[in-house]
Amino acid sequence: MTRALPPNLSEATFDRALDELAGAVGRPNVVAGGGDLAAYADPFLPSPENPRAFVASAAVLPASVDEIRAILRIANAYRLPLWTVSTGRNFAYGGAAPRLAGSVVLDLKRMTRILEVNETLAYALVEPGVTYFDLHAYLRERGLRLWVDPPAAGWGSIVGNTLERGFGYTPYGDHAATQCGMEVVLANGDVLRTGMGGLAAGTSWQLYRPGFGPSYDAMFMQSNFGIVTKLGIWLMPQPSAYLLGEIQCREESDLEAIVETLRPLRLDETIRHHAVVEGGIRRAAGVSSRAQWYDGPGAMPESAVDAMLAKLGVGRWNLHYALYGAPELLDARHAIVERAFARIRGARLTAAKYAGDAEPVGGADRNFAGIPSMGAFRMLDWRGGDGAHVDFSPICPFTGRDAMRQYTLAKTRMAEYGFDYYGGFTAGERHLHHIAAVIFNRGDARQTGAAGDLLRVLMSDAHAAGYGEYRTHLAYMDFAAAQYGFNEGALLRLSETIKDAVDPEGILSPGKQGIWPRAWRGWRGYT
Ligand code: ADP
């Protein structure tokens, strides 16, 4: 295959730009061509006719804000599109790959400093290359009684996950909500600090997000308006004790009652965290593989699912919840939760208590106790082969009726395209994050193509029913952005007005979230 180039640049001009980049960060920190560039490719290529979609032309790895500013000078001069990632592990949504083919990935994984942890006020300030594993290890090594809230895969970047509005499972699970303070480099090289960080010698940057005047932190989430180089997050004080509970229900239709029972407990803060209602297949995948139960074509038949669940002793729906706090509080809350769910016929309730510093063994359980894990990756073994996944992630109103409706919609379409319903619902306060993973064998072009078609159909169905995605793969960013079309796309018009003002040459992550700078607007909808 010929070499990928940024659009509109000749090979010779691009080589000059690469030389200048090497001058800015050192030759070993520019990845151009060769096998190393494979790390910036995404396994999901929904249109096999276009294998070059989302291919990077190079990657550049700065180690400091000054190096980032030097890169920006070069990118502006050459109109070189840069695609910013922190550690680039945004799997199921594009990994480290750029939306605009030929972009240079600006990879911040070398910026790995944990700049501050304050135990008294319970926060941390980190650079983009710091992973959840890193911060957790740092806290433990120093004996600090603080928890970090990990997302399902602990190896990702705190900055990357937070900017994508990722979520985890403790009471600090809403990562965008527990973020406080950012340092951002704009496309013109200007460096700003948000909120109280605007004080040149301040004391409260990680304590009070708004600051004085307009508040901009949210503007740099799921956008392409700047490069975030420092980010503050709040950490959870380690509770004196916690309890992990599971409630297994037998019938598909029990989803409705589970959600209806959970909502009031969530709203009155009896349950204070992102409890998870996990579908039977996802639960089973934690302890077995699909081929043990079924190896025919298409989605697993109901009879095979039933047999599997019975044999493994897991439910069609499995609610995982946790309670945190002093033992007296745990007991009181536990009694309330059990009383509420015992009303669901056939519900099986189990729970275990832990001291605040105890560590549960299972990956998902560890996430509830602020310990990063990689348990979620078991899913890739579910179907065997060279497993990969792409996710359908609509926001669901927190009602039993909506949850059933989304579940039925997803399951039916997934079966039509030959995929199992591998999903669950994570409880916000008034909404649920419904995540249904489409697991495919990346070596199988037909299956990959079917996954691609399925995602588009699922998104259309959801939109027709009044639902929208909270996050999508690169391939669907334009499609999703267009769905948020109130008043002929007023939201996207505002985003693109801002984009053109803060990034006139259009160099930062063109196409991210459907936001195209003037220079590249003709690329909307193309891959
Ligand atoms: P993770 O490795 O935690 O999954 P990524 O590094 O892949 O996260 O980041 C996810 C997405 O967030 C990227 O595709 C990019 O759009 C955005 N992003 C990540 N880091 C930054 C950053 N430092 N500044 C601006 N946007 C970023």
Side-chain angles (χ1 to χ4, degrees), residues 84 86-90 108 156-157 160-161 163-164 226-228 512:
T84 309
S86 285
T87 52
R89 287 170 174 155
N90 193 22
L108 306 181
S157 146
N161 187 276
L163 294 181
E164 285 294 288
I227 299 164
V228 176
K512 165 87 181 148

Side-chain angles (χ1 to χ4, degrees), residues 68 83-91 93-97 106-108 127-128 130-132 151 153 155-165 183-185 220-230 471 474 477 509 512-513:
I68 291 176
W83 179 263
T84 309
V85 301
S86 285
T87 52
R89 287 170 174 155
N90 193 22
F91 292 121
Y93 301 110
L106 178 65
D107 183 347
L108 306 181
E127 289 189 329
V130 176
T131 69
Y132 288 92
W155 67 346
S157 146
I158 294 173
V159 172
N161 187 276
T162 305
L163 294 181
E164 285 294 288
R165 307 195 187 102
E183 179 182 87
V184 186
V185 185
F220 297 102
M221 293 181 179
Q222 287 198 0
S223 77
N224 48 14
F225 300 150
I227 299 164
V228 176
T229 46
K230 295 182 179 62
R471 190 173 179 183
L474 300 169
M477 281 179 177
S509 303
K512 165 87 181 148
Q513 240 62 24

